[in-house]
Amino acid sequence: MPIRALTGNEAMAEAMRQINPDVVAAYPITPATEIVQLFASFVADGCVDTEFVTVESEHSAIAACIGASGAGARVMTSTSSQGLALMHELLYVAAGLRAPIVICEVNRTLSSPINIHCDHSDTMGSREAGWIQIFAEDAQEAYDLTLQAIKISEEVLLPIMISTDAFIISHCMQRVDMLEDSEVQKFIGPYKAAYSLFDKTITIGPLDLQDYYFEHKRQEIEAMWKTAPVIEKVAQEFASKFGRSYGLFEAYKTEDAEQVIVACGSTCGTTRVVIDNLREKGIKIGLLKLYAMRPFPHQKLKEVLSKAKLITVLDRSVSMSTMGGPVYIELRSALYDAPKHPLLVDYIYGLGGRDIDMDQITDIALKGEQIIKDNKVEKPVQYVGLRE
Amino acid sequence: MALSSWKELPIGTIITEPGNAREFKTGDWRSQRPIWDSEKCIHCLFCFIYCPDSSIKVNEEGKMTGIDLDYCKGCGICAEECPKEAIHMEIEKR
Protein backbone atom coordinates (compact mmCIF):
# COMPACT_ATOMS: atom_id res chain seq x y z
CA MET A 1 0.00 0.00 0.00
CA PRO A 2 1.41 3.45 -0.90
CA ILE A 3 2.57 5.62 1.99
CA ARG A 4 2.41 9.32 1.28
CA ALA A 5 3.12 12.59 3.08
CA LEU A 6 -0.16 14.47 2.74
CA THR A 7 -1.95 17.40 4.29
CA GLY A 8 -5.46 16.73 5.60
CA ASN A 9 -6.84 18.48 2.54
CA GLU A 10 -4.74 16.37 0.20
CA ALA A 11 -5.74 13.21 2.04
CA MET A 12 -9.42 13.99 1.57
CA ALA A 13 -8.92 15.03 -2.06
CA GLU A 14 -7.04 11.76 -2.71
CA ALA A 15 -9.91 9.83 -1.12
CA MET A 16 -12.32 11.66 -3.44
CA ARG A 17 -10.13 10.81 -6.43
CA GLN A 18 -10.12 7.13 -5.53
CA ILE A 19 -13.88 7.13 -4.88
CA ASN A 20 -14.32 8.69 -8.33
CA PRO A 21 -17.79 10.12 -7.65
CA ASP A 22 -20.21 10.69 -10.54
CA VAL A 23 -20.75 14.35 -9.65
CA VAL A 24 -18.89 16.94 -7.57
CA ALA A 25 -20.48 20.39 -7.38
CA ALA A 26 -18.51 23.01 -5.50
CA TYR A 27 -17.66 26.63 -5.00
CA PRO A 28 -13.87 26.39 -4.70
CA ILE A 29 -13.21 29.83 -3.23
CA THR A 30 -12.51 31.02 0.33
CA PRO A 31 -13.61 29.98 2.91
CA ALA A 32 -13.52 26.59 1.16
CA THR A 33 -10.18 24.89 1.59
CA GLU A 34 -8.05 23.57 -1.24
CA ILE A 35 -9.86 20.19 -1.26
CA VAL A 36 -12.00 20.99 -4.30
CA GLN A 37 -9.15 22.89 -5.93
CA LEU A 38 -7.03 19.74 -5.70
CA PHE A 39 -9.94 17.68 -6.94
CA ALA A 40 -10.39 20.07 -9.89
CA SER A 41 -6.80 19.22 -10.89
CA PHE A 42 -7.68 15.53 -10.87
CA VAL A 43 -10.62 16.30 -13.16
CA ALA A 44 -8.46 18.42 -15.49
CA ASP A 45 -5.78 15.71 -15.57
CA GLY A 46 -8.31 13.04 -16.49
CA CYS A 47 -7.72 11.05 -13.27
CA VAL A 48 -11.46 10.79 -12.57
CA ASP A 49 -14.67 10.43 -14.58
CA THR A 50 -16.49 12.97 -12.42
CA GLU A 51 -18.83 15.62 -13.79
CA PHE A 52 -17.36 18.64 -11.99
CA VAL A 53 -19.83 21.49 -11.63
CA THR A 54 -18.48 24.86 -10.54
CA VAL A 55 -21.27 27.05 -9.25
CA GLU A 56 -21.67 30.57 -7.91
CA SER A 57 -22.08 29.81 -4.20
CA GLU A 58 -22.15 27.02 -1.63
CA HIS A 59 -25.94 27.27 -1.62
CA SER A 60 -25.89 26.38 -5.32
CA ALA A 61 -23.19 23.75 -4.77
CA ILE A 62 -25.30 21.69 -2.41
CA ALA A 63 -28.41 22.35 -4.54
CA ALA A 64 -26.62 20.88 -7.57
CA CYS A 65 -25.51 17.94 -5.40
CA ILE A 66 -29.11 17.28 -4.35
CA GLY A 67 -30.28 17.35 -7.97
CA ALA A 68 -27.50 15.01 -9.05
CA SER A 69 -28.30 12.66 -6.17
CA GLY A 70 -31.93 12.63 -7.28
CA ALA A 71 -30.71 11.54 -10.70
CA GLY A 72 -29.08 8.54 -9.01
CA ALA A 73 -25.48 9.79 -8.99
CA ARG A 74 -22.82 9.20 -6.31
CA VAL A 75 -22.20 12.77 -5.18
CA MET A 76 -19.56 14.53 -3.09
CA THR A 77 -18.57 18.09 -2.26
CA SER A 78 -16.42 19.97 0.19
CA THR A 79 -16.84 23.15 2.17
CA SER A 80 -15.96 24.98 5.36
CA SER A 81 -17.07 27.74 7.72
CA GLN A 82 -19.37 30.33 6.10
CA GLY A 83 -19.69 27.96 3.15
CA LEU A 84 -21.38 25.35 5.32
CA ALA A 85 -23.48 28.08 6.89
CA LEU A 86 -24.62 29.19 3.43
CA MET A 87 -25.59 25.59 2.69
CA HIS A 88 -27.63 25.43 5.87
CA GLU A 89 -31.09 25.70 4.32
CA LEU A 90 -30.35 22.95 1.82
CA LEU A 91 -28.66 20.64 4.33
CA TYR A 92 -32.17 19.96 5.67
CA VAL A 93 -33.44 19.41 2.13
CA ALA A 94 -30.71 16.86 1.38
CA ALA A 95 -31.47 14.97 4.60
CA GLY A 96 -35.25 15.13 4.10
CA LEU A 97 -34.92 13.83 0.55
CA ARG A 98 -32.62 11.10 1.92
CA ALA A 99 -29.85 11.99 -0.53
CA PRO A 100 -26.60 10.16 0.36
CA ILE A 101 -24.27 13.11 -0.29
CA VAL A 102 -20.77 13.19 1.24
CA ILE A 103 -19.24 16.51 2.34
CA CYS A 104 -15.54 16.73 3.18
CA GLU A 105 -15.84 19.50 5.75
CA VAL A 106 -13.04 21.48 7.34
CA ASN A 107 -13.92 22.85 10.78
CA ARG A 108 -13.50 26.61 10.72
CA THR A 109 -15.12 29.20 12.90
CA LEU A 110 -18.02 31.42 11.84
CA SER A 111 -18.06 35.19 11.57
CA SER A 112 -18.41 37.58 13.23
CA PRO A 113 -15.70 38.61 14.19
CA ILE A 114 -14.11 37.59 10.88
CA ASN A 115 -11.81 34.63 11.36
CA ILE A 116 -11.18 31.47 9.33
CA HIS A 117 -9.23 29.45 11.90
CA CYS A 118 -10.18 26.25 13.61
CA ASP A 119 -13.10 25.68 15.86
CA HIS A 120 -16.18 23.51 15.55
CA SER A 121 -18.79 26.30 15.28
CA ASP A 122 -19.64 25.60 11.63
CA THR A 123 -20.10 21.84 11.95
CA MET A 124 -21.87 22.04 15.32
CA GLY A 125 -24.12 24.74 13.87
CA SER A 126 -25.59 22.20 11.49
CA ARG A 127 -25.88 19.35 13.96
CA GLU A 128 -29.69 19.24 13.82
CA ALA A 129 -29.91 19.23 10.00
CA GLY A 130 -30.26 15.45 9.71
CA TRP A 131 -26.69 14.81 8.54
CA ILE A 132 -24.40 12.15 9.95
CA GLN A 133 -21.39 13.97 11.43
CA ILE A 134 -18.01 12.32 12.00
CA PHE A 135 -14.90 14.07 13.35
CA ALA A 136 -11.44 12.95 12.21
CA GLU A 137 -8.39 13.36 14.44
CA ASP A 138 -5.68 13.47 11.77
CA ALA A 139 -5.03 13.18 8.04
CA GLN A 140 -5.05 9.37 8.12
CA GLU A 141 -8.46 9.35 9.79
CA ALA A 142 -9.74 11.99 7.36
CA TYR A 143 -8.73 9.72 4.49
CA ASP A 144 -10.07 6.49 6.00
CA LEU A 145 -13.33 8.03 7.20
CA THR A 146 -14.05 9.64 3.82
CA LEU A 147 -13.91 6.17 2.27
CA GLN A 148 -16.17 4.76 4.99
CA ALA A 149 -18.56 7.71 4.62
CA ILE A 150 -19.62 6.56 1.15
CA LYS A 151 -20.69 3.15 2.44
CA ILE A 152 -22.39 4.46 5.58
CA SER A 153 -24.32 7.15 3.76
CA GLU A 154 -25.47 4.94 0.89
CA GLU A 155 -26.67 2.21 3.24
CA VAL A 156 -28.82 4.40 5.52
CA LEU A 157 -29.66 7.01 2.87
CA LEU A 158 -28.68 9.98 4.95
CA PRO A 159 -26.10 12.58 3.93
CA ILE A 160 -22.83 12.64 5.84
CA MET A 161 -20.05 15.09 6.63
CA ILE A 162 -16.54 14.05 7.62
CA SER A 163 -14.68 16.90 9.26
CA THR A 164 -11.09 17.78 10.03
CA ASP A 165 -9.74 20.64 12.14
CA ALA A 166 -8.72 23.61 9.99
CA PHE A 167 -4.99 24.23 9.58
CA ILE A 168 -4.05 21.83 12.41
CA ILE A 169 -5.05 18.92 10.16
CA SER A 170 -6.15 20.49 6.88
CA HIS A 171 -2.84 22.22 6.18
CA CYS A 172 -0.29 20.11 8.11
CA MET A 173 1.55 17.34 6.34
CA GLN A 174 1.35 13.92 7.91
CA ARG A 175 2.09 10.31 7.04
CA VAL A 176 -0.91 8.75 5.32
CA ASP A 177 -1.11 5.06 4.53
CA MET A 178 -3.24 5.00 1.39
CA LEU A 179 -5.07 2.11 -0.19
CA GLU A 180 -4.66 1.11 -3.80
CA ASP A 181 -7.27 2.60 -6.14
CA SER A 182 -8.64 -0.87 -6.83
CA GLU A 183 -8.96 -1.64 -3.11
CA VAL A 184 -11.01 1.53 -2.62
CA GLN A 185 -13.33 0.65 -5.49
CA LYS A 186 -13.76 -2.89 -4.16
CA PHE A 187 -14.46 -1.58 -0.64
CA ILE A 188 -17.07 1.02 -1.62
CA GLY A 189 -18.65 -1.05 -4.41
CA PRO A 190 -20.94 0.35 -7.10
CA TYR A 191 -23.82 2.67 -6.16
CA LYS A 192 -27.36 1.88 -7.23
CA ALA A 193 -29.81 4.56 -6.11
CA ALA A 194 -33.09 3.33 -4.63
CA TYR A 195 -34.92 5.79 -6.90
CA SER A 196 -33.64 7.77 -9.84
CA LEU A 197 -35.22 10.45 -11.99
CA PHE A 198 -33.89 8.54 -15.00
CA ASP A 199 -35.37 5.12 -14.19
CA LYS A 200 -39.11 5.83 -14.09
CA THR A 201 -41.45 8.74 -13.59
CA ILE A 202 -41.15 9.83 -9.97
CA THR A 203 -41.62 13.09 -8.12
CA ILE A 204 -38.88 14.29 -5.75
CA GLY A 205 -39.53 17.01 -3.20
CA PRO A 206 -43.31 17.51 -3.39
CA LEU A 207 -45.32 19.66 -1.00
CA ASP A 208 -45.75 17.67 2.21
CA LEU A 209 -48.26 19.24 4.55
CA GLN A 210 -49.86 18.53 7.90
CA ASP A 211 -51.01 15.08 6.84
CA TYR A 212 -47.60 13.59 5.88
CA TYR A 213 -44.65 15.82 6.92
CA PHE A 214 -44.54 14.40 10.45
CA GLU A 215 -44.41 10.81 9.15
CA HIS A 216 -41.50 11.64 6.82
CA LYS A 217 -39.58 13.26 9.69
CA ARG A 218 -40.21 10.13 11.77
CA GLN A 219 -38.63 8.08 8.96
CA GLU A 220 -35.59 10.34 9.09
CA ILE A 221 -35.26 9.84 12.85
CA GLU A 222 -35.51 6.09 12.33
CA ALA A 223 -32.73 6.25 9.72
CA MET A 224 -30.54 8.06 12.25
CA TRP A 225 -31.28 5.34 14.84
CA LYS A 226 -30.15 2.74 12.29
CA THR A 227 -26.98 4.67 11.46
CA ALA A 228 -24.99 3.94 14.63
CA PRO A 229 -24.81 0.15 14.00
CA VAL A 230 -24.00 0.80 10.33
CA ILE A 231 -21.08 3.06 11.30
CA GLU A 232 -19.81 0.20 13.49
CA LYS A 233 -20.36 -2.43 10.80
CA VAL A 234 -18.52 -0.43 8.13
CA ALA A 235 -15.71 0.29 10.63
CA GLN A 236 -15.36 -3.44 11.36
CA GLU A 237 -15.21 -4.25 7.67
CA PHE A 238 -12.58 -1.54 7.18
CA ALA A 239 -10.55 -2.83 10.15
CA SER A 240 -10.67 -6.44 8.97
CA LYS A 241 -9.48 -5.47 5.48
CA PHE A 242 -7.04 -2.66 6.19
CA GLY A 243 -6.17 -2.98 9.90
CA ARG A 244 -7.20 0.44 11.22
CA SER A 245 -10.04 0.64 13.75
CA TYR A 246 -12.86 3.15 13.82
CA GLY A 247 -16.43 3.29 15.11
CA LEU A 248 -18.67 5.66 17.04
CA PHE A 249 -15.89 6.57 19.47
CA GLU A 250 -12.49 5.40 20.71
CA ALA A 251 -12.12 4.61 24.40
CA TYR A 252 -8.45 5.04 25.38
CA LYS A 253 -7.41 3.77 28.83
CA THR A 254 -10.94 4.31 30.12
CA GLU A 255 -11.37 0.83 31.61
CA ASP A 256 -10.21 1.70 35.14
CA ALA A 257 -10.25 5.50 34.70
CA GLU A 258 -11.68 7.69 37.45
CA GLN A 259 -11.51 10.71 35.15
CA VAL A 260 -12.32 10.51 31.43
CA ILE A 261 -11.59 13.43 29.11
CA VAL A 262 -14.03 13.60 26.18
CA ALA A 263 -13.02 15.47 23.02
CA CYS A 264 -13.32 15.32 19.26
CA GLY A 265 -10.94 16.18 16.46
CA SER A 266 -7.24 17.01 16.57
CA THR A 267 -7.12 17.84 20.30
CA CYS A 268 -7.48 14.12 21.00
CA GLY A 269 -3.88 13.62 19.81
CA THR A 270 -2.55 16.16 22.31
CA THR A 271 -4.78 14.76 25.05
CA ARG A 272 -3.57 11.20 24.49
CA VAL A 273 0.04 12.25 25.24
CA VAL A 274 -1.14 14.02 28.40
CA ILE A 275 -3.03 10.87 29.45
CA ASP A 276 0.11 8.76 28.96
CA ASN A 277 2.20 11.18 31.05
CA LEU A 278 -0.34 11.27 33.88
CA ARG A 279 -0.75 7.49 33.82
CA GLU A 280 3.00 7.21 34.48
CA LYS A 281 2.41 9.24 37.63
CA GLY A 282 -0.30 6.80 38.67
CA ILE A 283 -3.31 8.97 37.85
CA LYS A 284 -6.26 6.89 36.64
CA ILE A 285 -7.30 8.93 33.63
CA GLY A 286 -8.53 8.07 30.14
CA LEU A 287 -9.64 9.66 26.89
CA LEU A 288 -12.86 9.18 25.00
CA LYS A 289 -12.48 10.38 21.46
CA LEU A 290 -15.87 11.05 19.90
CA TYR A 291 -16.00 10.22 16.20
CA ALA A 292 -19.78 10.46 15.81
CA MET A 293 -21.54 13.63 16.88
CA ARG A 294 -24.61 12.63 14.82
CA PRO A 295 -26.00 10.19 15.58
CA PHE A 296 -24.86 10.86 19.15
CA PRO A 297 -23.96 7.44 20.59
CA HIS A 298 -25.73 8.11 23.86
CA GLN A 299 -26.52 4.52 24.82
CA LYS A 300 -22.98 3.20 24.40
CA LEU A 301 -21.43 6.29 25.96
CA LYS A 302 -23.60 5.78 29.01
CA GLU A 303 -22.20 2.27 29.39
CA VAL A 304 -18.58 3.37 28.99
CA LEU A 305 -18.68 6.63 30.94
CA SER A 306 -21.00 5.98 33.87
CA LYS A 307 -18.25 3.99 35.65
CA ALA A 308 -16.03 7.09 35.93
CA LYS A 309 -16.15 9.58 38.79
CA LEU A 310 -15.63 12.63 36.58
CA ILE A 311 -16.20 13.36 32.90
CA THR A 312 -14.15 16.31 31.66
CA VAL A 313 -15.46 17.59 28.34
CA LEU A 314 -13.38 19.66 25.94
CA ASP A 315 -15.69 21.65 23.65
CA ARG A 316 -14.28 23.58 20.70
CA SER A 317 -17.51 25.51 20.15
CA VAL A 318 -20.20 27.07 22.25
CA SER A 319 -23.91 26.79 22.50
CA MET A 320 -25.51 30.10 23.32
CA SER A 321 -27.87 28.27 25.67
CA THR A 322 -25.45 29.34 28.48
CA MET A 323 -25.23 25.65 29.43
CA GLY A 324 -21.81 24.96 27.90
CA GLY A 325 -20.68 23.44 24.62
CA PRO A 326 -22.61 21.01 22.40
CA VAL A 327 -20.69 17.87 23.41
CA TYR A 328 -21.13 18.63 27.11
CA ILE A 329 -24.87 19.30 26.72
CA GLU A 330 -25.42 16.05 24.81
CA LEU A 331 -23.32 14.03 27.21
CA ARG A 332 -24.98 15.48 30.28
CA SER A 333 -28.31 14.54 28.79
CA ALA A 334 -27.09 11.05 27.85
CA LEU A 335 -25.88 10.37 31.41
CA TYR A 336 -29.02 11.69 33.10
CA ASP A 337 -30.69 8.29 33.31
CA ALA A 338 -27.49 6.35 34.00
CA PRO A 339 -27.78 4.34 37.23
CA LYS A 340 -24.83 6.22 38.66
CA HIS A 341 -23.99 9.78 37.63
CA PRO A 342 -20.39 10.82 37.23
CA LEU A 343 -19.64 14.49 37.86
CA LEU A 344 -19.35 16.56 34.69
CA VAL A 345 -17.31 19.61 33.85
CA ASP A 346 -17.00 21.45 30.53
CA TYR A 347 -14.03 23.40 29.20
CA ILE A 348 -14.63 25.66 26.21
CA TYR A 349 -11.35 26.05 24.33
CA GLY A 350 -9.75 27.08 21.08
CA LEU A 351 -12.40 29.40 19.69
CA GLY A 352 -11.24 31.20 16.55
CA GLY A 353 -8.22 28.91 16.29
CA ARG A 354 -6.59 29.67 19.65
CA ASP A 355 -4.09 26.92 20.40
CA ILE A 356 -4.48 24.46 23.23
CA ASP A 357 -1.31 22.79 24.48
CA MET A 358 -0.26 19.89 26.70
CA ASP A 359 0.30 22.14 29.74
CA GLN A 360 -3.26 23.42 29.55
CA ILE A 361 -4.75 19.94 29.19
CA THR A 362 -2.53 18.69 32.06
CA ASP A 363 -3.80 21.56 34.18
CA ILE A 364 -7.41 20.68 33.31
CA ALA A 365 -6.76 17.03 34.21
CA LEU A 366 -5.17 17.93 37.57
CA LYS A 367 -8.06 20.26 38.39
CA GLY A 368 -10.25 17.26 37.63
CA GLU A 369 -8.37 15.19 40.22
CA GLN A 370 -9.16 17.90 42.77
CA ILE A 371 -12.85 17.86 41.74
CA ILE A 372 -12.91 14.09 42.35
CA LYS A 373 -11.34 14.60 45.82
CA ASP A 374 -13.85 17.33 46.72
CA ASN A 375 -16.67 15.37 45.05
CA LYS A 376 -18.02 18.72 43.88
CA VAL A 377 -18.03 20.79 40.67
CA GLU A 378 -17.86 24.49 41.58
CA LYS A 379 -18.03 25.88 38.04
CA PRO A 380 -19.51 23.46 35.49
CA VAL A 381 -18.50 25.54 32.44
CA GLN A 382 -15.05 27.09 32.20
CA TYR A 383 -12.88 28.67 29.51
CA VAL A 384 -9.35 27.60 28.60
CA GLY A 385 -6.68 30.13 27.64
CA LEU A 386 -9.08 33.07 27.86
CA ARG A 387 -7.89 36.42 29.24
CA GLU A 388 -10.26 37.06 32.14
CA MET B 1 -58.64 7.31 1.98
CA ALA B 2 -56.79 6.05 5.06
CA LEU B 3 -53.43 7.75 5.48
CA SER B 4 -50.31 5.57 5.58
CA SER B 5 -48.13 5.16 8.67
CA TRP B 6 -44.49 6.31 8.52
CA LYS B 7 -43.42 2.69 8.11
CA GLU B 8 -45.42 2.28 4.89
CA LEU B 9 -44.51 5.47 3.03
CA PRO B 10 -41.79 5.56 0.36
CA ILE B 11 -38.76 7.24 1.93
CA GLY B 12 -37.72 10.81 1.25
CA THR B 13 -41.19 12.01 0.17
CA ILE B 14 -40.67 10.32 -3.20
CA ILE B 15 -43.90 9.96 -5.18
CA THR B 16 -43.52 6.75 -7.15
CA GLU B 17 -46.80 6.85 -9.13
CA PRO B 18 -47.20 9.74 -11.60
CA GLY B 19 -50.52 11.55 -12.12
CA ASN B 20 -51.94 10.81 -8.71
CA ALA B 21 -52.95 14.41 -7.95
CA ARG B 22 -56.51 13.34 -8.90
CA GLU B 23 -56.53 11.13 -5.79
CA PHE B 24 -55.94 14.15 -3.60
CA LYS B 25 -59.36 15.15 -2.28
CA THR B 26 -58.90 18.75 -1.19
CA GLY B 27 -62.28 18.68 0.56
CA ASP B 28 -60.32 17.21 3.50
CA TRP B 29 -59.62 20.78 4.61
CA ARG B 30 -63.32 21.47 5.28
CA SER B 31 -64.39 22.41 8.82
CA GLN B 32 -68.02 23.23 7.87
CA ARG B 33 -70.25 21.23 5.58
CA PRO B 34 -72.99 22.80 3.34
CA ILE B 35 -76.41 21.12 3.65
CA TRP B 36 -78.66 21.56 0.61
CA ASP B 37 -82.47 21.52 0.95
CA SER B 38 -83.85 20.50 -2.48
CA GLU B 39 -87.39 21.48 -1.40
CA LYS B 40 -86.43 25.16 -1.02
CA CYS B 41 -84.09 25.31 -4.05
CA ILE B 42 -85.34 27.28 -7.08
CA HIS B 43 -82.30 26.33 -9.24
CA CYS B 44 -81.25 29.95 -9.76
CA LEU B 45 -77.63 28.66 -9.73
CA PHE B 46 -76.30 31.64 -7.75
CA CYS B 47 -74.38 29.03 -5.72
CA PHE B 48 -72.86 27.58 -8.93
CA ILE B 49 -71.70 31.04 -10.04
CA TYR B 50 -70.21 31.96 -6.67
CA CYS B 51 -68.60 28.63 -5.71
CA PRO B 52 -64.79 29.17 -5.90
CA ASP B 53 -64.13 25.41 -6.18
CA SER B 54 -66.68 24.36 -8.84
CA SER B 55 -68.24 22.08 -6.29
CA ILE B 56 -71.90 22.71 -7.15
CA LYS B 57 -73.17 19.79 -9.22
CA VAL B 58 -75.49 20.76 -12.09
CA ASN B 59 -77.10 18.34 -14.54
CA GLU B 60 -77.62 18.69 -18.31
CA GLU B 61 -81.00 20.38 -17.79
CA GLY B 62 -79.34 23.14 -15.76
CA LYS B 63 -80.73 21.92 -12.45
CA MET B 64 -78.65 21.81 -9.29
CA THR B 65 -78.27 18.21 -8.08
CA GLY B 66 -76.06 18.55 -4.99
CA ILE B 67 -72.60 19.45 -3.70
CA ASP B 68 -69.30 17.71 -4.53
CA LEU B 69 -67.89 17.15 -1.05
CA ASP B 70 -64.61 15.74 -2.46
CA TYR B 71 -63.59 19.30 -3.28
CA CYS B 72 -65.91 21.62 -1.28
CA LYS B 73 -63.75 23.50 1.26
CA GLY B 74 -66.76 24.61 3.32
CA CYS B 75 -66.24 28.34 2.70
CA GLY B 76 -69.99 28.97 3.06
CA ILE B 77 -70.33 31.45 0.16
CA CYS B 78 -73.14 29.33 -1.35
CA ALA B 79 -75.10 29.48 1.91
CA GLU B 80 -74.50 33.24 2.17
CA GLU B 81 -75.61 33.98 -1.41
CA CYS B 82 -78.62 31.63 -1.69
CA PRO B 83 -81.75 33.88 -1.97
CA LYS B 84 -84.02 31.11 -0.61
CA GLU B 85 -81.84 29.92 2.31
CA ALA B 86 -81.81 26.48 0.69
CA ILE B 87 -78.20 25.91 1.86
CA HIS B 88 -77.01 26.09 5.47
CA MET B 89 -73.66 25.21 7.06
CA GLU B 90 -73.07 22.63 9.78
CA ILE B 91 -69.88 21.79 11.68
CA GLU B 92 -68.03 18.98 9.89
CA LYS B 93 -67.74 15.82 12.00
CA ARG B 94 -64.94 13.37 11.37
Side-chain angles (χ1 to χ4, degrees), chain A residues 51-73:
Chain A
E51 180 78 32
F52 186 60
V53 189
T54 50
V55 289
E56 74 281 12
S57 74
E58 285 85 357
H59 191 275
S60 303
I62 190 71
C65 287
I66 292 166
S69 184

Side-chain angles (χ1 to χ4, degrees), chain A residues 155-347:
Chain A
E155 177 157 349
V156 298
L157 295 177
L158 282 176
I160 183 166
M161 57 183 84
I162 305 295
S163 68
T164 64
D165 283 353
F167 298 102
I168 302 161
I169 304 305
S170 69
H171 289 61
C172 283
M173 201 164 275
Q174 293 181 311
R175 177 191 189 276
V176 177
D177 194 344
M178 286 180 62
L179 311 184
E180 300 289 352
D181 293 359
S182 58
E183 288 176 310
V184 170
Q185 282 301 319
K186 204 176 158 199
F187 176 69
I188 62 173
Y191 174 54
K192 177 79 180 80
Y195 299 103
S196 159
L197 288 165
F198 291 142
D199 284 350
K200 60 177 273 201
T201 309
I202 58 165
T203 304
I204 294 179
L207 190 67
D208 201 35
L209 297 178
Q210 295 94 325
D211 49 356
Y212 280 110
Y213 181 92
F214 204 167
E215 277 69 25
H216 284 119
K217 277 291 146 188
R218 179 65 184 85
Q219 288 183 335
E220 216 180 306
I221 295 163
E222 190 67 11
M224 206 47 107
W225 269 103
K226 287 183 175 157
T227 299
V230 172
I231 291 173
E232 288 181 317
K233 186 185 79 176
V234 171
Q236 276 161 14
E237 189 188 336
F238 191 88
S240 68
K241 285 186 173 148
F242 310 117
R244 291 185 292 275
S245 297
Y246 294 89
L248 299 164
F249 54 79
E250 177 202 337
Y252 180 72
K253 300 189 178 177
T254 57
E255 200 49 47
D256 62 338
E258 294 186 345
Q259 181 180 180
V260 177
I261 299 181
V262 178
C264 43
S266 60
T267 307
C268 294
T270 322
T271 308
R272 203 178 283 107
V273 181
V274 171
I275 301 283
D276 289 345
N277 291 345
L278 294 175
R279 279 272 171 184
E280 280 179 16
K281 291 177 186 164
I283 296 175
K284 288 184 175 176
I285 188 165
L287 164 70
L288 191 131
K289 174 171 75 178
L290 198 58
Y291 284 117
M293 181 65 193
R294 286 290 179 272
F296 195 78
H298 51 96
Q299 289 171 318
K300 296 221 161 169
L301 286 178
K302 197 164 64 182
E303 288 167 27
V304 174
L305 294 178
S306 57
K307 292 179 294 186
K309 291 181 178 164
L310 173 69
I311 308 301
T312 300
V313 181
L314 302 181
D315 258 307
R316 199 164 197 151
S317 64
V318 282
S319 154
M320 288 299 168
S321 69
T322 71
M323 282 181 60
V327 178
Y328 169 77
I329 293 170
E330 296 278 346
L331 210 49
R332 207 176 139 103
S333 178
L335 290 168
Y336 182 78
D337 53 3
K340 195 172 131 287
H341 285 240
L343 297 168
L344 261 93
V345 61
D346 190 23
Y347 290 89

Side-chain angles (χ1 to χ4, degrees), chain B residues 13-87:
Chain B
T13 66
I14 302 285
I15 295 175
T16 53
E17 299 298 327
N20 61 5
R22 72 181 69 233
E23 292 168 27
F24 185 29
K25 308 296 187 207
T26 49
D28 286 358
W29 304 351
R30 193 172 53 240
S31 62
Q32 290 189 81
R33 171 189 288 253
I35 308 294
W36 174 54
D37 184 348
S38 59
E39 301 286 314
K40 291 185 187 168
C41 179
I42 58 170
H43 304 281
C44 67
L45 299 189
F46 273 25
C47 54
F48 172 80
I49 291 163
Y50 278 102
C51 177
D53 271 304
S54 304
S55 294
I56 304 296
K57 294 197 268 194
V58 178
N59 66 14
E60 286 177 1
E61 287 124 43
K63 303 282 187 196
M64 183 186 173
T65 60
I67 294 163
D68 185 349
L69 293 174
D70 281 352
Y71 298 101
C72 167
K73 312 285 189 302
C75 70
I77 291 175
C78 54
E80 179 69 21
E81 297 298 337
C82 179
K84 292 291 178 188
E85 296 183 345
I87 301 175

